[in-house]
Amino acid sequence: MLQVYGIKNCNTVKKAIDWLNQNGKEFVFHDYKKEPATIEKLKEWEKEISWEQLVNKKGTTWKKLTPEEQAAVVDANTANHVLLKNNSMIKRPLIESPNGILLGFDEVDYKTKL
């Protein structure tokens, strides 16, 4: 079964969930607001995708960091420290599937990999 991580009020997460429901894909949703990501989960994801991919630098949460805080994110350890404090900065949705991790919503990827 697919594991979907994100925030319920995120438009991209809503699109992904709508697509999954419309295409009969079973999944469990993990809301970062109720169930924050752990360091173990971040490290597990980073075995497959890079920390750079996990950090959503286009989002509001990243933009609210000071330039010094942003500049301090230089590797997995520093990124994980920031991501643990700000789960909403993790690119979303993040979907764990038998075919690997998918980040964001891309209908073509979903059709071919889910």
Side-chain angles (χ1 to χ4, degrees), residues 2 8 14 16 18 30 32 35 39-40 44 51 53 65 67 69 73 75 78 83 87 93 100 107 111:
L2 303 173
K8 280 189 176 182
K14 288 177 185 177
D18 287 347
H30 303 273
Y32 291 137
E35 204 178 334
I39 188 64
E40 294 81 14
E44 178 185 324
W51 66 267
Q53 291 173 285
L65 295 179
E69 289 171 315
V73 178
D75 58 19
T78 54
L83 292 175
N87 273 202
E107 191 168 357
K111 285 180 181 178

Side-chain angles (χ1 to χ4, degrees), residues 57-76:
K57 292 184 177 181
K58 294 181 182 178
T60 306
T61 307
W62 173 263
K63 292 175 183 175
K64 286 183 180 178
L65 295 179
T66 66
E68 295 79 17
E69 289 171 315
Q70 290 177 355
V73 178
V74 296
D75 58 19

Side-chain angles (χ1 to χ4, degrees), residues 2 6 15 40 47 51-52 60 64 67 81 85 96 99:
L2 303 173
K15 287 179 195 174
E40 294 81 14
K47 289 178 184 174
W51 66 267
E52 293 97 336
T60 306
K64 286 183 180 178
H81 179 74
K85 286 184 177 180
E96 293 176 347
N99 297 321

Side-chain angles (χ1 to χ4, degrees), residues 98-109:
N99 297 321
I101 292 175
L102 287 98
L103 282 174
F105 177 71
D106 183 321
E107 191 168 357
V108 173
D109 274 352

Side-chain angles (χ1 to χ4, degrees), residues 26-42:
E26 292 187 27
F27 64 92
V28 174
F29 181 71
H30 303 273
D31 188 335
Y32 291 137
K33 300 285 187 193
K34 297 178 183 175
E35 204 178 334
T38 63
I39 188 64
E40 294 81 14
K41 186 52 80 173
L42 292 172

Side-chain angles (χ1 to χ4, degrees), residues 82-93:
V82 172
L83 292 175
L84 288 172
K85 286 184 177 180
N86 304 285
N87 273 202
S88 58
M89 198 182 308
I90 300 170
K91 186 160 173 85
R92 55 189 186 264

